[in-house]
Amino acid sequence: AQTVTQSQPEMSVQEAETVTLSCTYDTSESDYYLFWYKQPPSRQMILVIRQEAYKQQNATENRFSVNFQKAAKSFSLKISDSQLGDAAMYFCAYRSITNAGKSTFGDGTTLTVKP
Amino acid sequence: GAVVSQHPSRVICKSGTSVKIECRSLDFQATTMFWYRQFPKQSLMLMATSNEGSKATYEQGVEKDKFLINHASLTLSTLTVTSAHPEDSSFYICSAHRNYEQYFGPGTRLTVT
């Protein structure tokens, strides 16, 4: 079974600064998807960024980028130029391409953005 | 973009009663939907996989008779919490896949008094 570990329960960043959220996972599969989701106080899950394991290039979405290290099974999220609206709980997720497409979520990291 | 809705957004019921939560994919068909449970400040716990036209697949430790799932059509899955008790109070989230993306409903907060 796959596991996803987020070792930082809480993180804080000053507005306009950069912060990196950590995520490691364990799997025996060679192809899979990795995701970062944001859950604001409304609790609606919002996709931040997606990475396909077969792609070596790190995914980027505007101020959000990942550092995907497949051999190390590491998938960190970097948020640049942090904004107050980035404050939320962030979940790292692994999704198998097989196994009915089930997703496994990390325990989450609560990000606080200080003005 | 793909939209998943849930109804109701909040529900309060008395202990011993049953409550039904609907999950709809509004602009796409979903042969598979997932139901999660989330406690405050915790992660999403997968409860079951809902398959259109067949029985749901439950995760280990989830009571099938308490959490009834029906995937009646390609756009609707329902979760019925039967004989609800206060410990069933939680936030329930559904999701559906479309083109390898997972789209989440806004969630339903269930409070059992």
Side-chain angles (χ1 to χ4, degrees):
Chain A
Q2 294 82 21
T3 59
V4 177
T5 302
Q6 292 179 248
S7 59
Q8 306 153 316
E10 297 179 348
M11 290 284 284
S12 67
V13 62
Q14 206 70 35
E15 194 176 4
E17 297 295 309
T18 296
V19 65
T20 299
L21 308 184
S22 313
C23 174
T24 59
Y25 60 95
D26 189 25
T27 183
S28 58
E29 299 177 330
S30 59
D31 204 7
Y32 46 86
Y33 296 101
L34 294 166
F35 303 84
W36 278 98
Y37 291 97
K38 170 184 177 181
Q39 189 180 42
S42 68
R43 302 189 79 170
Q44 170 73 60
M45 295 288 283
I46 300 167
L47 175 66
V48 174
I49 201 164
R50 177 188 70 237
Q51 176 80 44
E52 291 92 340
Y54 67 87
K55 290 186 178 179
Q56 292 187 340
Q57 186 173 7
N58 290 324
T60 299
E61 288 288 341
N62 300 314
R63 299 182 294 107
F64 300 88
S65 61
V66 298
N67 183 3
F68 174 48
Q69 301 290 328
K70 191 173 184 179
K73 296 179 183 174
S74 171
F75 183 62
S76 61
L77 174 70
K78 185 172 81 171
I79 305 174
S80 304
D81 185 26
S82 297
Q83 300 176 359
L84 295 177
D86 294 334
M89 195 155 187
Y90 286 80
F91 291 99
C92 176
Y94 172 103
R95 185 159 93 232
S96 175
I97 289 181
T98 57
N99 196 21
K102 293 181 182 180
S103 294
T104 302
F105 291 84
D107 288 338
T109 297
T110 299
L111 177 66
T112 302
V113 181
K114 298 178 180 178
Chain B
V3 178
V4 175
S5 70
Q6 275 184 250
H7 179 79
S9 57
R10 290 174 178 265
V11 58
I12 300 173
C13 69
K14 292 190 175 181
S15 187
T17 63
S18 297
V19 61
K20 180 185 287 187
I21 302 170
E22 293 186 346
C23 176
R24 293 182 185 272
S25 54
L26 296 185
D27 50 0
F28 66 102
Q29 294 182 334
T31 55
T32 302
M33 292 183 175
F34 298 92
W35 286 96
Y36 297 88
R37 183 173 182 176
Q38 185 182 33
F39 290 105
K41 297 195 179 296
Q42 293 189 22
S43 188
L44 280 69
M45 181 191 78
L46 180 65
M47 298 175 66
T49 303
S50 173
N51 303 297
E52 189 269 336
S54 64
K55 291 183 178 180
T57 304
Y58 291 83
E59 295 300 300
Q60 191 171 7
V62 177
E63 298 177 61
K64 302 178 183 181
D65 295 333
K66 166 164 280 295
F67 300 101
L68 300 180
I69 291 172
N70 183 32
H71 199 142
S73 74
L74 287 171
T75 60
L76 173 65
S77 175
T78 58
L79 168 67
T80 302
V81 184
T82 63
S83 186
H85 290 284
E87 56 265 30
D88 298 325
S89 297
S90 191
F91 193 69
Y92 293 88
I93 303 174
C94 72
S95 75
H97 285 186
R98 179 191 183 211
N99 298 333
Y100 302 108
E101 292 289 354
Q102 185 171 11
Y103 297 93
F104 292 86
T108 297
R109 183 182 302 280
L110 169 63
T111 303
V112 184
T113 61

